[in-house]
Amino acid sequence: MTQYYMPTKIIEAKNVVKQNKHIFTKYGNKALIVTGSNSSKKNGSLNDVTEVLTELEIGFEIYDKVVENPPVENIVDGAEKGHNAEFIIGVGGGSAIDAAKAIGILIQNPKGDPHATLFKLTDLKSIPIIAVPTTAGTGSETTPYSILTDHTRSTKSNFSSKVFPDIAFMDIRYFMSMPQNIRNNTCIDSLTHLIESYMCVSANTYSDGIVEKALKLWGTVKDILFENTISEENLTVFMKASTLAGMAISQTGTSLPHGLGYPLTYYKKIAHGKANGLVITAYLNICSNKKRVEHILDLLGFDNLNNFNKYLTKLIGRLNLNEDEILQYSQTMAFNKYKLRNHPDQISLNDLIMIYEKSL
Ligand code: NAP
Ligand code: FE
């Protein structure tokens, strides 16, 4: 069976929030805005949303305490603040949008233990989510996932329901304030989404079509990442590639690089996109479907894996782990049945260890 389902309406334009303000009125009279502490106040995204809500006389609360790789505690706090909200607007990077989805689940399903609601119960509904992304990498605006930090299990983990935002409002102006390191880390996240989707066991004609287009786009602007500044035109290419990558992984999920990246973020505080990027070449090296690997490299504009490796090494450096850490993180990944099941080859603990070792 082959299927494709991605119900989010994407509206992309400059000034998109104000131009489409009528859309907010469909969702009710009480909104919760979920955002980080800083960036959305500076890049104009939060201001645009609050101005529109005020003009429309839609009441709102702002939960602006979302931290990177949001922990469950953030979600519980946010749900408390917005307990009577009818819809949520997530403004910011993947952390803010993921938090918005999880808060939406807790507001819609307030009874019971929040940890169990988020990680054990499946198929729960959320109140509607509107996404206003400001980073060009996670694609969270077009995925049903929410990746949360779960300190009880010392890891990052997807919640167990599926929540697609209703609307993704894309305005390149909000992305322009990203400093080079944040921009590069997040752009690499989208690159790994594309690669993992293409190598995934459930890749199909529809996800492949999206990936092939987006890899080509990503390849045309890849060298810009070495520069400190980026034009609006070039960042728009990364923005589109990221949203497309979200659409692709919304079908296939991600696999080993994301699973291997989670401990790097949890224990070593390495940014999510960079963590995946550090292991992606060694991952591609063990993939048995060499034809697909070659096609990825070709679409990106690399002659071979070695050149791809050189590019990424120059951009983000190498992994730095000791033997004990490698064993511990590989064992963590070996328990991640969701990520293992997405990879078409049989994978042993030694394979996982080797991916980390080859990334040093
Ligand atoms: P992020 O964690 O949302 O934000 C990283 C940093 O960038 C924060 O300090 C944030 O500041 C800042 N920032 C955001 N937008 C900015 C802008 N326009 N200008 C300047 N600074 C800005 O980063 P992210 O890479 O977008 O998201 C990573 C998270 O997404 C991880 O938790 C990852 O697991 C998750 N993820 C989710 C999916 C999915 O499908 N749902 C896929 C991949 C990754 P503030 O805190 O002040 O806002
Ligand atoms: Fe990711």
Side-chain angles (χ1 to χ4, degrees), residues 79-142:
E80 221 165 55
K81 177 123 196 179
H83 67 278
N84 59 2
E86 291 164 273
F87 67 105
I88 298 183
I89 308 155
V91 185
S95 295
I97 297 173
D98 282 7
K101 295 173 187 174
I103 290 170
I105 288 277
L106 289 194
I107 292 176
Q108 182 79 51
N109 306 276
K111 294 198 184 117
D113 168 37
H115 191 274
T117 303
L118 291 170
F119 294 116
K120 298 227 164 72
L121 303 178
T122 53
D123 301 325
L124 294 178
K125 297 269 174 282
S126 158
I127 60 172
I129 307 293
I130 294 175
V132 183
T134 66
T135 63
T138 71
S140 181
E141 68 276 8
T142 52

Side-chain angles (χ1 to χ4, degrees), residues 262-334:
Y262 291 158
L264 300 178
T265 301
Y266 189 84
Y267 292 107
K268 308 296 270 188
K269 310 289 170 230
I270 299 175
H272 170 69
K274 180 173 175 175
N276 307 330
L278 286 168
V279 296
I280 195 80
T281 316
Y283 163 73
L284 282 173
N285 204 32
I286 66 150
C287 289
S288 66
N289 193 336
K290 300 296 175 205
K291 233 172 140 181
R292 282 209 156 225
V293 174
E294 270 171 35
H295 197 40
I296 288 171
L297 296 173
D298 189 41
L299 289 163
L300 286 169
F302 292 104
D303 291 340
N304 51 48
L305 202 52
N306 204 16
N307 287 345
F308 179 67
N309 196 23
K310 279 189 192 150
Y311 167 86
L312 278 181
T313 301
K314 189 170 162 202
L315 199 61
I316 55 172
R318 307 290 301 173
L319 191 57
N320 185 6
L321 294 182
N322 65 37
E323 255 178 52
D324 291 345
E325 288 166 334
I326 290 180
L327 183 61
Q328 184 199 348
Y329 302 172
S330 301
Q331 281 167 340
T332 304
M333 172 59 221

Side-chain angles (χ1 to χ4, degrees), residues 45-210:
S45 52
L46 183 60
N47 202 41
D48 283 357
V49 170
T50 56
E51 260 185 52
V52 162
L53 295 179
T54 306
E55 197 188 319
L56 297 168
E57 297 183 351
I58 295 174
F60 62 88
E61 295 276 0
I62 303 179
Y63 180 70
D64 63 357
K65 295 189 173 56
V66 178
V67 296
E68 286 178 48
N69 310 296
V72 173
E73 293 72 15
N74 245 195
I75 308 310
V76 172
D77 259 16
E80 221 165 55
K81 177 123 196 179
H83 67 278
N84 59 2
E86 291 164 273
F87 67 105
I88 298 183
I89 308 155
V91 185
S95 295
I97 297 173
D98 282 7
K101 295 173 187 174
I103 290 170
I105 288 277
L106 289 194
I107 292 176
Q108 182 79 51
N109 306 276
K111 294 198 184 117
D113 168 37
H115 191 274
T117 303
L118 291 170
F119 294 116
K120 298 227 164 72
L121 303 178
T122 53
D123 301 325
L124 294 178
K125 297 269 174 282
S126 158
I127 60 172
I129 307 293
I130 294 175
V132 183
T134 66
T135 63
T138 71
S140 181
E141 68 276 8
T142 52
T143 76
Y145 313 126
S146 169
I147 317 297
L148 306 173
T149 296
D150 180 3
H151 289 301
T152 65
R153 287 181 288 161
S154 300
T155 188
K156 291 180 61 173
S157 175
N158 187 19
F159 69 1
S160 38
S161 295
K162 287 191 157 119
V163 178
F164 280 105
D166 270 32
I167 311 279
F169 282 130
M170 314 292 301
D171 188 335
I172 189 62
R173 294 176 313 149
Y174 305 149
F175 296 65
M176 291 302 292
S177 57
M178 280 189 287
Q180 189 180 12
N181 66 330
I182 289 178
R183 181 197 73 198
N184 287 4
N185 292 339
T186 188
C187 285
I188 291 166
D189 191 20
S190 75
L191 173 67
T192 59
H193 293 164
L194 293 169
I195 293 173
E196 289 171 56
S197 175
Y198 205 62
M199 300 310 298
C200 194
V201 75
S202 53
N204 66 28
T205 320
Y206 303 104
S207 61
D208 282 354
I210 292 168

